[in-house]
Amino acid sequence: MPAPVFEPLQFTRFPPDQMLRRAQRYQEALSLRRTTRQFSTEPVPRALIEHAIRTAGTAPSGAHRQPWRFVAVDNPALKAQMRVAAEAEEHQNYHGRMPPEWLEALAPLGTDEHKSHLTDAPWVVVVFKQLFEQLPDGRRLKNYYVDESVGIACGFFIAAIHHLGLCTLTHTPSPMGFLSALLERPENEKPYLLMPVGFPAADAQVPAIRRKGIEEIVQWNLEKERMSE
């Protein structure tokens, strides 16, 4: 078993007041992020998508296996095939597969089986989770905490997309096996998430919904002396 190799941590420490300003600016910026299903067909440079994927690649992962693969598609014919396959699956979901409780939960979002975002958005980024690495000698190297790792990387990607001034949508057509076939992925990779990326349409709208407040998503377990202050 090889011994670990370490190197100095590159870290910048900011003054407390600057930390607070940075935290506020970042939170305010991300609070404007919204999921849209209405995209402009305006082209988006490949370099922007590449930088967002590079950012996603900085996410932590189980045993540092980095078990993610990002497939970025701008080919119109391939996007059209993806849309046809996704709409076929989603039609069955909305007309029989989904239980009433699920349909009721989705109702405020106004979603249905029609997925125009797959052909309107200039890019469709499909994320695959890599269950294991196939070594040249035929052995399989197991990956760990795959779903958690890939989920974190997708979060980094979504934040990066918003930061650079674009929109995205987290789409999980179910089942998603058609993505493996269309994108010719190996057996050790399974589709995890599909994200159209682009500028919002000029008349884009989003559901009038609210996010939970801080008091609804956190519990503070404070030291007793602090609690008495």
Side-chain angles (χ1 to χ4, degrees):
M1 184 177 300
V5 177
F6 293 93
E7 61 186 14
L9 171 66
Q10 297 184 27
F11 179 82
T12 301
R13 181 162 181 165
F14 301 100
D17 59 335
Q18 188 175 349
M19 293 174 68
L20 182 57
R21 288 196 300 272
R22 288 168 62 91
Q24 290 173 331
R25 286 198 297 265
Y26 191 71
Q27 185 272 320
E28 290 169 358
L30 266 292
S31 71
L32 298 177
R33 187 209 60 79
R34 293 298 305 270
T35 294
T36 184
R37 291 169 173 79
Q38 298 166 310
F39 286 86
S40 166
T41 59
E42 180 181 351
V44 168
R46 169 181 166 173
L48 296 180
I49 305 302
E50 181 175 339
H51 278 296
I53 295 174
R54 286 179 181 272
T55 298
T58 68
S61 60
H64 194 56
R65 290 291 170 78
Q66 305 165 78
W68 44 69
R69 292 295 179 271
F70 288 76
V71 180
V73 180
D74 75 342
N75 183 306
L78 186 51
K79 289 192 297 177
Q81 289 180 285
M82 293 166 64
R83 178 178 176 178
V84 169
E87 289 184 336
E89 296 292 357
E90 296 285 41
H91 178 82
Q92 295 187 56
N93 288 336
Y94 281 91
H95 299 277
R97 283 179 182 163
M98 291 181 179
E101 295 84 359
W102 193 350
L103 293 173
E104 183 177 357
L106 290 173
L109 304 180
T111 61
D112 57 28
E113 68 267 31
H114 302 294
K115 307 300 178 184
S116 60
H117 48 261
L118 294 179
T119 47
D120 289 342
W123 290 92
V124 175
V125 177
V126 184
V127 185
F128 288 82
K129 60 181 182 180
Q130 189 183 67
L131 303 178
F132 58 89
E133 287 189 35
Q134 186 70 59
L135 300 180
D137 61 6
R139 290 182 297 127
R140 293 182 174 185
L141 189 65
K142 180 181 178 181
N143 289 329
Y144 300 93
Y145 297 103
V146 172
D147 286 314
E148 295 87 346
S149 301
V150 179
I152 296 169
C154 289
F156 276 37
F157 179 82
I158 293 167
I161 288 297
H162 177 74
H163 180 71
L164 58 84
L166 296 172
C167 288
T168 189
L169 161 69
T170 52
H171 181 192
T172 52
S174 180
M176 293 194 287
F178 67 89
L179 292 170
S180 297
L182 285 175
L183 300 177
E184 300 180 340
R185 303 313 302 159
E187 64 170 339
N188 63 324
E189 295 181 12
K190 301 300 178 185
Y192 185 87
L193 189 63
L194 182 157
M195 291 180 283
V197 178
F199 292 103
D203 58 351
Q205 295 185 322
V206 294
I209 53 179
R210 61 173 290 273
R211 293 187 173 103
K212 292 182 178 180
I214 184 68
E215 69 283 352
E216 299 175 89
I217 63 173
V218 67
Q219 173 180 314
W220 301 101
N221 288 340
L222 305 176
E223 296 176 358
K224 290 183 178 179
E225 57 266 29
R226 292 184 179 179
M227 294 178 65
S228 63
E229 291 178 357

